[in-house]
């Protein structure tokens, strides 16, 4: 998970800081409000924390292909245990989370299989898809952890414990993440497993 934590979190921090500018409109863009400084500070993290493509190369190569996906498969098994727990809870929020986590875990599983199978015969194709795979892994692992938080919140709500406003907000944000981010997983799978042709198409002198 180290390349995922370093690569996906830092890429996401740029997106979050950029949204921070956007929601404040023109006031967000000008330096005096400070929002632009957060964006600039976030922007360096994908470079000096180890660049995103180097993290992604580590993920597909040393972390997955080298051990034939053993750890990744164990993580997918844990995701499926959370999936079963989601399916056991009633309500549309948990059904939506289960639907998107099922598709996400399947996308990760298919990519891990493809990475392991392809690494020995077409290493360039695997590395061409490494950054989209890093993003896929981050989104699915993120959605998985959000789902675990939602399940913990739901257990408290059912017992009438804790701060109901905080707990229902936790469930709502997990649902939002599932609908808006986890839902991207099947598309990323297509880029990982089928995106190499465009990456490799041009000769060096064509750039
Ligand atoms: C403000 C700042 C503070 C820093 N502080 C430290 C520090 O405290 N300690 C320290 O050790 N270093 C530090 N660094 C250096 C940092 O580790 C490097 O900037 C970083 O490793 C990236 O190397 P590079 O800048 O030479 O980029 P390059 O290696 O030239 O990379 C350029 C681009 O090409 C991509 N790329 C390179 N090789 C490959 C490849 N094989 N496959 C695919 N893509 C590739 C990279 O992902 C990147 O997008 C700092 C840098 C900055 C800017």
């Amino acid at each position: 998970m180290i390349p995922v934590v370093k690569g996906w979190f830092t890429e996401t921090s740029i997106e979050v800081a950029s949204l921070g500018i956007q929601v404040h409109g023109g006031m967000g863009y000008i330096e005096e409000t400070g929002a632009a400084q957060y964006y600039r500070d976030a922007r360096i993290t994908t470079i000096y924390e180890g660049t995103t493509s180097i993290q992604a190369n580590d993920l597909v190569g040393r972390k997955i292909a080298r051990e034939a996906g053993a750890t990744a498969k164990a993580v997918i098994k844990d995701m499926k245990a959370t999936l079963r727990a989601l399916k056991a809870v009633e309500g549309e929020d948990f059904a939506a989370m289960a639907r998107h986590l099922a598709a996400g875990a399947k996308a990760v599983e298919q990519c891990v299989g493809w990475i392991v199978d392809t690494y020995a015969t077409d290493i360039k194709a695997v590395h061409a898809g490494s950054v989209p795979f890093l993003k896929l892994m981050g989104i699915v692992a993120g959605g998985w952890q959000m789902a675990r938080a939602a399940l913990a919140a739901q257990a408290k709500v059912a017992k009438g414990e804790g701060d109901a406003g905080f707990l229902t907000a936790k469930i709502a944000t997990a649902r939002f993440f599932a609908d808006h981010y986890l839902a991207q997983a099947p598309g990323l799978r297509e880029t990982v497993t089928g995106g190499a042709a465009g990456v490799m198409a041009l000769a060096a002198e064509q750039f």
Side-chain angles (χ1 to χ4, degrees):
M1 282 294 178
I2 289 172
V4 179
V5 168
K6 295 188 83 170
W8 183 64
F9 280 25
T10 54
E11 287 287 342
T12 304
S13 76
I14 296 170
E15 199 179 321
V16 170
S18 176
L19 273 172
I21 293 175
Q22 187 70 21
V23 296
H24 290 97
M27 287 299 286
Y29 180 75
I30 60 167
E31 291 293 336
E32 286 80 352
T33 55
Q37 184 62 47
Y38 285 120
Y39 182 65
R40 185 170 169 79
D41 290 348
R43 192 63 192 82
I44 188 56
T45 60
T46 60
I47 298 171
Y48 73 6
E49 283 299 321
T51 59
T52 306
S53 23
I54 296 299
Q55 299 294 349
N57 285 345
D58 182 43
L59 178 62
V60 298
R62 288 187 296 196
K63 301 288 191 290
I64 292 181
R66 189 162 70 179
E67 58 161 23
T71 305
K73 286 173 189 169
V75 171
I76 294 163
K77 204 172 158 192
D78 287 347
M79 288 176 181
K80 287 182 177 173
T82 301
L83 186 55
R84 285 192 292 278
L86 286 175
K87 285 179 177 167
V89 181
E90 285 185 2
E92 177 52 27
D93 289 337
F94 286 87
M97 283 182 241
R99 189 166 66 248
H100 290 304
L101 184 60
K106 188 175 173 192
V108 171
E109 193 168 34
Q110 288 171 330
C111 287
V112 168
W114 180 82
I115 288 165
V116 170
D117 290 347
T118 312
Y119 207 74
T121 54
D122 193 355
I123 191 169
K124 287 182 179 174
V126 174
H127 284 277
S130 65
V131 171
F133 179 73
L134 177 89
K135 188 173 181 187
L136 168 65
M137 194 69 198
I139 284 173
V140 176
W144 168 40
Q145 295 305 310
M146 295 287 281
R148 290 184 62 216
L151 286 165
Q154 176 63 24
K156 279 187 175 286
V157 169
K159 287 186 207 157
E161 292 175 359
D163 176 344
F166 173 78
L167 296 169
T168 52
K170 193 58 105 176
I171 295 166
T173 47
R175 165 81 191 266
F176 173 87
F177 191 91
D179 288 341
H180 289 257
Y181 288 89
L182 257 183
Q184 297 169 10
L188 284 164
R189 174 195 53 216
E190 298 303 309
T191 307
V192 173
T193 59
V199 175
M200 304 305 299
L202 302 186
E205 56 274 15
Q206 289 176 283
F207 282 91

